[in-house]
Amino acid sequence: MSVLNNPDQTSSAAGGDAGPPPSDRSKRLRRNTRRSASPEGAPTRPDRRSSTPVLGLLPLVALLGLWQLLGEPDSPHYPPPSEWWAAVKPLMEKGTLTPALGWSTLTFLLGLIMATVLGSTFGILVGANRTADRALGPGLEFLRILPAASLVPVAALVLGYTMTMKLVIVTLPATWPILLTCRTARRSLSPVLLDVPRTLGLSRRERLTKVILPAMTTAVLLGVRVSAPLALIITLLVEIVTRINGLGALLGAAQSNFMSAQVYGLLVIAGALGFLVNWFVTRLESVVNRRMGTSGG
């Protein structure tokens, strides 16, 4: 009778297994959210970021280990990784691997530096002039989509099989990401940022060095990060096609002689070089952005 007379007790008894009311659950959810965002859980982010490269290499290591277990040393197409070092070792003993790696690295660095200077300069100039931007836009887009391999015959006819030809072919395709990024960034600069230096009476040189170039630094670094792997790929491609001194020339020679183990070993070296380039450019971009953010804030 007491239960029938007290509807509150009836509802509590009927809903005893229904869990806490929605208000309690929302409070508990907010409490858990604050706990997950508390300083106790903060150190997990740097640890995860610092371990990302190592964790990313684990699938590759597992694949190479499986390849080593299942591969046959006499296979003409898929020799195990243990045979790769034995095939590359004669190149080191003859003294041909180190100079070839040096030539490829030099070509890549010079091409990337030239692409950075040309791309940032013309990108800022084109982005600053609306008329030039509209007039040159279609032509820049056309040149951007041209395959780098299609430039090899023309450059070889004009310049011959020389170091200059390699630099031209590497520089031109690597220029477009930097140029287009700087062009877009210059075009989107705030008018207030450009009017304040004029109001303060700064000269054109001071406006360029103290306002425009610092504002374009992030765009230049973004373009360099995109162009760096592209420049390295084109360097190897040009060396494979033309057989000019470099790591790509050794790859082409090993492929022509059906030395598959040596091809795989040289590919590992090229991949390691690309990994180091990407790591260095990414670290440089993060350091510069951090410094600019600190100075700006």
Side-chain angles (χ1 to χ4, degrees), residues 12-13 57 60 63 127 129 134-135 140 149 155-156 159-161 169 175 198 202 217 219 234 245 257 277-278 297:
S12 61
L57 293 176
L60 178 60
L63 178 62
N129 192 320
R134 287 192 293 267
L140 294 177
L159 301 174
Y161 290 92
I169 298 178
T175 300
R198 296 192 187 99
L202 298 181
T217 302
I234 297 172
N245 292 335
N257 295 324
V277 167
N278 184 68

Side-chain angles (χ1 to χ4, degrees), residues 174-195:
T175 300
W176 306 124
I178 304 174
L179 189 151
L180 296 177
T181 304
C182 293
R183 165 194 166 198
T184 304
R186 176 62 181 85
R187 193 169 51 189
S188 61
L189 283 181
S190 172
V192 177
L193 184 65
L194 301 176
D195 292 338

Side-chain angles (χ1 to χ4, degrees), residues 191-254:
V192 177
L193 184 65
L194 301 176
D195 292 338
V196 170
R198 296 192 187 99
T199 305
L200 296 177
L202 298 181
S203 64
R204 181 170 298 181
R205 180 178 180 181
E206 290 175 335
R207 281 180 288 179
L208 177 64
T209 57
K210 296 182 179 180
V211 178
I212 296 178
L213 290 183
M216 299 294 298
T217 302
T218 303
V220 173
L221 290 176
L222 177 60
V224 170
R225 189 175 65 178
V226 177
S227 295
L230 181 63
L232 182 59
I233 293 173
I234 297 172
T235 299
L236 296 176
L237 174 64
V238 173
E239 292 172 351
I240 291 174
V241 173
T242 62
R243 302 298 172 87
I244 301 177
N245 292 335
L247 193 61
L250 295 181
L251 272 167

Side-chain angles (χ1 to χ4, degrees), residues 106-116 167 170-172 174-175 231:
L106 179 63
T107 304
F108 159 73
L109 291 177
L110 291 179
L112 185 60
I113 292 173
M114 294 172 61
T116 303
L167 286 176
V170 172
T171 301
L172 287 180
T175 300

Side-chain angles (χ1 to χ4, degrees), residues 126 129-141 183:
V126 172
N129 192 320
R130 295 285 181 177
T131 304
D133 190 9
R134 287 192 293 267
L136 299 177
L140 294 177
E141 292 294 336
R183 165 194 166 198

Side-chain angles (χ1 to χ4, degrees), residues 2-221:
S2 61
V3 175
L4 295 176
N5 294 331
N6 194 344
D8 296 336
Q9 295 180 3
T10 304
S11 59
S12 61
D17 297 333
S23 59
D24 294 340
R25 279 182 296 191
S26 61
K27 291 179 181 179
R28 187 177 303 173
L29 180 60
R30 287 195 298 267
R31 211 165 33 238
N32 292 336
T33 304
R34 286 195 298 266
R35 187 179 304 166
S36 62
S38 62
E40 287 80 8
T44 58
R45 290 187 177 179
D47 294 340
R48 179 175 58 83
R49 185 170 61 239
S50 61
S51 61
T52 298
V54 178
L55 294 177
L57 293 176
L58 288 180
L60 178 60
V61 173
L63 178 62
L64 293 178
L66 185 63
W67 193 343
Q68 178 64 35
L69 293 175
L70 301 179
E72 298 181 0
D74 298 332
S75 175
H77 302 293
Y78 308 106
S82 59
E83 299 294 324
W84 302 352
W85 170 252
V88 173
K89 190 175 180 180
L91 297 177
M92 299 181 63
E93 294 175 349
K94 294 178 182 178
T96 57
L97 180 60
T98 302
L101 185 60
W103 279 111
S104 297
T105 305
L106 179 63
T107 304
F108 159 73
L109 291 177
L110 291 179
L112 185 60
I113 292 173
M114 294 172 61
T116 303
V117 174
L118 293 175
S120 59
T121 302
F122 284 102
I124 293 174
L125 293 177
V126 172
N129 192 320
R130 295 285 181 177
T131 304
D133 190 9
R134 287 192 293 267
L136 299 177
L140 294 177
E141 292 294 336
F142 171 76
L143 294 174
R144 181 181 66 86
I145 63 176
L146 278 180
S150 64
L151 301 176
V152 175
V154 178
L157 287 174
V158 176
L159 301 174
Y161 290 92
T162 60
M163 182 69 175
T164 304
M165 185 268 290
K166 286 175 61 177
L167 286 176
V168 169
I169 298 178
V170 172
T171 301
L172 287 180
T175 300
W176 306 124
I178 304 174
L179 189 151
L180 296 177
T181 304
C182 293
R183 165 194 166 198
T184 304
R186 176 62 181 85
R187 193 169 51 189
S188 61
L189 283 181
S190 172
V192 177
L193 184 65
L194 301 176
D195 292 338
V196 170
R198 296 192 187 99
T199 305
L200 296 177
L202 298 181
S203 64
R204 181 170 298 181
R205 180 178 180 181
E206 290 175 335
R207 281 180 288 179
L208 177 64
T209 57
K210 296 182 179 180
V211 178
I212 296 178
L213 290 183
M216 299 294 298
T217 302
T218 303
V220 173
L221 290 176

